[in-house]
Amino acid sequence: GIRIAQRTGAKANVYWNVTPDCRAKFTDLFAELRINDVKLIENQNLMYKTKMRRYFKIPYILQKICYDQVVYDFDKNRRGDIFPLLNYKSALLLYSCYIMCDYDSLSSIFKPSPAVNQKLEKITSSFNSKTVGVHIRGTDHTTAKTQSPLSKFIELMDAEIDKDDTVTFFLATDELTVKQTMIERYGPRILTNHVQLNRDSLEGMIGGVVDLFALSQTSKIIGSYGSSYSEVAAELGNIELVVAHERKN
């Protein structure tokens, strides 16, 4: 949304709500936004609640009333360029967890907060130029778990070892059993953040953003199918993303 506003010369409001699924303020996780004509608004009214069913779709109705155009869940990696879809003369609401357009530099917009940066530096101090990021999405992401099975990650990680026996892996995953399996298989090659990644706690939210920035500082990422987290980490670091996708015949 920020990039779209910059390209069109419009002002932008960024709405961020603390919810049961996101127990952190923007400034708990990221440095303060310092961009001309961009305003961060936290914990705004009912219109910007994300879980619409919980509020009987009232946010959806309010959005349709107050905005001339609303775009939901647009993903440039699946649908291409967003700009031809937009009405530039209207009040526009963009509502998506995906990357909606190309950025000159995503890292110039989103920088870690002091609390995140302190933990990030401890983790990345163990990285070298050959550290590969691995993001294995689990828990409630059924598509990622189905399309990106653990066996595919192992296949791709073993291939990296065959190419360079000194390679290490930074593992980011919300599945403790997966983390333990990978540590048992790869031993000291695995570098990881030993925090339970729960979105319903501040500690868990900070841990998730630490992992995001840590992945962005690896040489490339082996990521999960359909995961915007893998995509954003690669965009932040301007590095290659290899999706662990088990294609069915």
Side-chain angles (χ1 to χ4, degrees):
I2 292 172
R3 178 69 185 97
I4 292 168
Q6 290 174 328
R7 176 165 165 174
T8 59
K11 294 183 179 180
N13 291 334
V14 177
Y15 295 97
W16 179 283
N17 290 315
V18 176
T19 70
D21 300 311
C22 177
R23 289 287 188 186
K25 297 183 296 184
F26 182 92
T27 48
D28 289 328
L29 309 177
F30 304 101
E32 183 180 350
L33 286 176
R34 296 183 181 275
I35 305 171
N36 291 337
D37 294 325
V38 175
K39 183 179 180 180
L40 173 68
I41 301 173
E42 297 199 81
N43 297 315
Q44 185 54 270
N45 58 35
L46 182 63
M47 190 192 313
Y48 303 103
K49 298 296 184 182
T50 56
K51 298 293 185 181
M52 294 190 187
R53 289 184 179 179
R54 184 177 297 165
Y55 302 99
F56 306 102
K57 295 192 175 181
I58 293 174
Y60 175 83
I61 296 169
L62 292 173
Q63 289 163 14
K64 291 295 186 179
I65 293 172
C66 296
Y67 288 90
D68 300 307
Q69 184 180 13
V70 184
V71 179
Y72 297 104
D73 296 324
F74 188 91
D75 181 357
K76 80 173 182 69
N77 292 323
R78 293 170 177 80
R79 297 176 61 186
D81 191 356
I82 191 174
F83 291 100
L85 302 178
L86 303 181
N87 181 352
Y88 297 107
K89 296 181 181 180
S90 65
L92 170 66
L93 176 64
L94 300 173
Y95 199 105
S96 181
C97 65
Y98 301 104
I99 295 170
M100 292 182 281
C101 67
D102 291 324
Y103 296 83
D104 296 329
S105 174
L106 193 60
S107 61
S108 67
I109 299 174
F110 296 103
K111 301 179 184 295
S113 68
V116 168
N117 200 50
Q118 184 179 33
K119 297 177 184 297
L120 177 65
E121 289 179 348
K122 290 181 180 179
I123 291 173
T124 57
S125 64
S126 301
F127 288 10
N128 58 44
S129 60
K130 300 174 182 178
T131 301
V132 172
V134 179
H135 172 233
I136 305 178
R137 181 71 163 88
T139 57
D140 59 344
H141 201 310
T142 305
T143 300
K145 294 172 74 172
T146 302
Q147 300 294 326
S148 294
L150 191 59
S151 58
K152 189 63 181 180
F153 283 97
I154 290 173
E155 176 188 326
L156 293 171
M157 292 167 72
D158 286 350
E160 292 293 330
I161 295 172
D162 289 342
K163 287 188 290 186
D164 186 344
D165 189 52
T166 65
V167 70
T168 58
F169 302 101
F170 172 71
L171 173 63
T173 180
D174 51 359
E175 291 275 9
L176 291 178
T177 55
V178 168
K179 185 173 290 189
Q180 187 58 42
T181 296
M182 289 306 207
I183 291 172
E184 290 175 358
R185 181 179 179 86
Y186 295 106
R189 291 185 192 274
I190 295 293
L191 309 171
T192 193
N193 180 13
H194 294 285
V195 174
Q196 181 66 41
L197 302 181
N198 292 326
R199 288 181 292 180
D200 60 359
S201 71
L202 177 58
E203 181 184 21
M205 288 295 299
I206 288 175
V209 175
V210 169
D211 278 7
L212 182 74
F213 280 103
L215 284 169
S216 77
Q217 294 185 26
T218 59
S219 60
K220 70 177 180 182
I221 297 171
I222 301 172
S224 293
Y225 181 87
S227 171
S228 59
Y229 189 96
S230 295
E231 295 170 358
V232 170
E235 290 268 357
L236 274 171
N238 193 26
I239 55 177
E240 179 185 6
L241 171 61
V242 178
V243 177
H245 186 198
E246 190 70 80
R247 292 177 173 81
K248 306 297 183 181
N249 295 327

